[in-house]
């Protein structure tokens, strides 16, 4: 178990960020073990067909058998939304002694894979040169992997993460730290101790206790995280990658995997598909025309029409027009037209959040969605 002790000042300095590098590195777990998250199988199938000549043996060697990852590959985001290149530049500056330490810690108690061992166990007479060369090769490989596998879908990943942050901020405003962490993940428990509190992360591979000591806590929602991912080392500043809400809305269902072909290290098979939803990004089975969707009383369909009833169902939490369009697989302009009607009828409210306008069901909209008079 890992425990973060937070004082009042630390809770006041609890912030959120997104991390394109964090998503990229954690996605390697899904490639290594498809059982980590069945929700990402459409993405995984499409990516495996596009890796081509990438050194997948080195990529997969970064993920230990226990699915732990070296801390130096996921530096704490220095801004709300850092550029991938800026985060990768921080990795390139990692001192060689830390590269060694983190690689060994991630794989312990198992030996290092062959792709890493030669550099880390190089004779002392060679100095740090082999580890520096390995670090730089890993950075170059991650950059190419990002361009192939994650950058094309980063706008969707970012929208899902931002929707999660909006929800979490509302939870914090309504019920403080206890409500903020209440449904973040079953392995997280908040224990309130008056002027101080403790966030306990259960079922971790290692264990330590760390105090924020006025440095605050950084929370980073991550689409590819299947459980909370705190730093492996207690020496790191307190921050936490955690599974984002809304992952099930990301990838359309596609056909089953094609025949195996091409190379794949360890448990990674190869399956070539045209895209996340099959050829031409097929969206999978369509919802019946008259269906209201989850969270909405079926009787609303004749009253509002199926598109507006589905919109009302999604707006149990604040969402922006582009995110609604992505989930419904329609254009933002079509969503805007329906939102104007729902807003004019008093069924939704809207509020500006940074560069976005977020919509949510009004009290009247909540009553209608629940089928209450």
């Amino acid at each position: 178990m890992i425990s973060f002790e937070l004082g009042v000042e630390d809770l006041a300095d609890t912030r959120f960020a997104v991390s394109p590098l964090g998503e990229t590195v954690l996605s390697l777990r899904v490639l290594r073990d498809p059982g980590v998250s069945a929700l990402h199988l459409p993405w995984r199938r499409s990516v495996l067909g596009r890796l081509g000549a990438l050194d997948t043996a080195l990529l997969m060697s970064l993920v230990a058998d226990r699915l732990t990852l070296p801390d130096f590959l996921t530096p704490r985001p220095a801004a709300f939304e850092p550029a991938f290149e800026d985060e990768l530049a921080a990795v390139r500056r990692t001192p060689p002694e830390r590269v060694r330490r983190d690689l060994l810690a991630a794989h312990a108690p198992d030996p290092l894979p062959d792709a890493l061992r030669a550099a880390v166990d190089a004779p002392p007479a060679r100095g740090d040169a082999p580890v520096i060369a390995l670090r730089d090769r890993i950075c170059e490989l991650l950059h190419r992997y990002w361009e192939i596998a994650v950058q094309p879908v980063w706008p969707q990943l970012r929208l899902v993460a931002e929707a999660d942050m909006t929800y979490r901020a509302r939870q914090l405003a309504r019920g403080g730290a206890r409500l903020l962490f209440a449904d973040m993940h079953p392995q997280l428990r908040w224990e309130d101790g008056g002027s101080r509190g403790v966030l306990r992360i259960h079922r971790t591979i290692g264990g330590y206790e760390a105090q924020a000591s006025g440095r605050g806590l950084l929370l980073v929602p991550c689409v590819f995280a299947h459980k909370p991912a705190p730093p492996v080392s207690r020496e790191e500043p307190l921050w936490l990658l955690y599974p984002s809400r809304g992952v099930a809305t990301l990838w359309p269902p596609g056909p089953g995997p094609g025949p195996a072909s091409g190379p794949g290290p360890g448990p990674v098979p190869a399956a070539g598909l045209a895209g996340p939803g099959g050829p031409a990004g097929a969206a999978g089975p369509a919802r019946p025309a008259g269906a209201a969707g989850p969270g909405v009383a079926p009787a609303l369909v004749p009253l509002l029409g199926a598109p507006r009833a589905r919109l009302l169902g999604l707006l149990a939490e604040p969402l922006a027009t582009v995110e609604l369009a992505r989930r419904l697989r329609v254009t933002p302009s079509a969503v805007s037209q329906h939102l104007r009607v729902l807003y004019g009828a008093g069924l939704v409210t809207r509020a500006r959040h940074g560069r976005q306008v977020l919509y949510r069901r009004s009290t009247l909209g909540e009553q209608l969605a629940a089928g209450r008079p």
Side-chain angles (χ1 to χ4, degrees), residues 21-103:
L21 178 59
E23 291 284 11
T24 302
V25 172
L26 265 68
S27 74
L28 296 176
R29 287 174 170 170
V30 178
L31 287 187
R32 169 76 184 263
D33 182 0
V36 165
S37 176
L39 292 174
H40 292 308
L41 288 179
W43 170 85
R44 184 178 184 274
R45 285 195 294 264
S46 71
V47 167
L48 285 173
R50 290 184 277 118
L51 292 181
L54 281 188
D55 186 354
T56 50
L58 180 54
L59 268 181
M60 292 301 99
S61 73
L62 300 175
V63 186
D65 289 342
R66 303 174 302 167
L67 299 183
T68 48
L69 291 156
D71 275 348
F72 79 94
L73 293 179
T74 51
R76 192 176 193 260
F80 171 72
E81 186 182 345
F84 177 86
E85 291 75 13
D86 292 340
E87 291 191 288
L88 196 62
V91 177
R92 289 184 187 276
R93 294 191 296 268
T94 307
E97 59 271 18
R98 185 183 167 187
V99 174
R100 278 195 196 90
R101 183 198 73 191
D102 288 358
L103 288 172

Side-chain angles (χ1 to χ4, degrees), residues 287-355:
R287 188 187 299 276
V296 178
L300 279 186
V301 174
L303 177 65
L304 299 177
R308 290 171 191 158
R310 285 197 289 271
L311 263 180
L312 200 62
L314 290 174
L315 290 173
E317 59 181 299
L319 293 172
T321 303
V322 288
E323 173 63 8
L324 289 165
R326 186 189 65 79
R327 295 192 185 188
L328 294 171
R329 309 194 199 288
V330 297
T331 64
S333 60
V335 171
S336 294
Q337 293 176 21
H338 292 307
L339 285 173
R340 279 196 293 269
V341 174
L342 294 174
Y343 180 75
L347 299 181
V348 301
T349 61
R350 63 189 183 193
R352 180 163 291 280
H353 178 73
R355 294 170 293 176

Side-chain angles (χ1 to χ4, degrees), residues 170-361:
R170 187 168 179 267
Q171 293 289 89
L172 181 62
R174 289 176 56 205
R178 184 179 296 278
L179 196 57
L180 168 65
F181 297 112
D183 62 349
M184 191 172 280
H185 193 272
Q187 293 180 14
L188 292 177
R189 291 287 184 276
W190 173 256
E191 297 177 4
D192 199 343
S195 62
R196 307 192 73 78
V198 179
L199 178 64
R200 301 201 184 277
I201 309 163
H202 294 270
R203 299 177 62 187
T204 57
I205 293 172
Y208 61 82
E209 296 181 0
Q211 295 183 344
S213 303
R215 295 174 295 176
L217 175 65
L218 183 65
L219 298 171
V220 182
C222 184
V223 165
F224 286 108
H226 67 288
K227 63 179 182 178
V232 175
S233 170
R234 71 173 74 237
E235 298 172 11
E236 294 296 303
L238 299 195
W239 71 294
L240 182 69
L241 282 160
Y242 67 90
S244 177
R245 302 171 79 247
V247 174
T249 69
L250 263 174
W251 319 119
S261 62
V268 178
L273 289 184
R287 188 187 299 276
V296 178
L300 279 186
V301 174
L303 177 65
L304 299 177
R308 290 171 191 158
R310 285 197 289 271
L311 263 180
L312 200 62
L314 290 174
L315 290 173
E317 59 181 299
L319 293 172
T321 303
V322 288
E323 173 63 8
L324 289 165
R326 186 189 65 79
R327 295 192 185 188
L328 294 171
R329 309 194 199 288
V330 297
T331 64
S333 60
V335 171
S336 294
Q337 293 176 21
H338 292 307
L339 285 173
R340 279 196 293 269
V341 174
L342 294 174
Y343 180 75
L347 299 181
V348 301
T349 61
R350 63 189 183 193
R352 180 163 291 280
H353 178 73
R355 294 170 293 176
Q356 297 179 324
V357 175
L358 301 179
Y359 291 84
R360 190 178 187 279
R361 288 197 298 244

Side-chain angles (χ1 to χ4, degrees), residues 1 77 259:
M1 179 173 65

Side-chain angles (χ1 to χ4, degrees), residues 58 62 72-73 116 134-142:
L58 180 54
L62 300 175
F72 79 94
L73 293 179
L116 304 175
L134 174 65
R135 179 199 64 194
D136 293 346
R137 278 179 56 216
I138 290 172
C139 287
E140 292 168 7
L141 185 58
L142 284 175

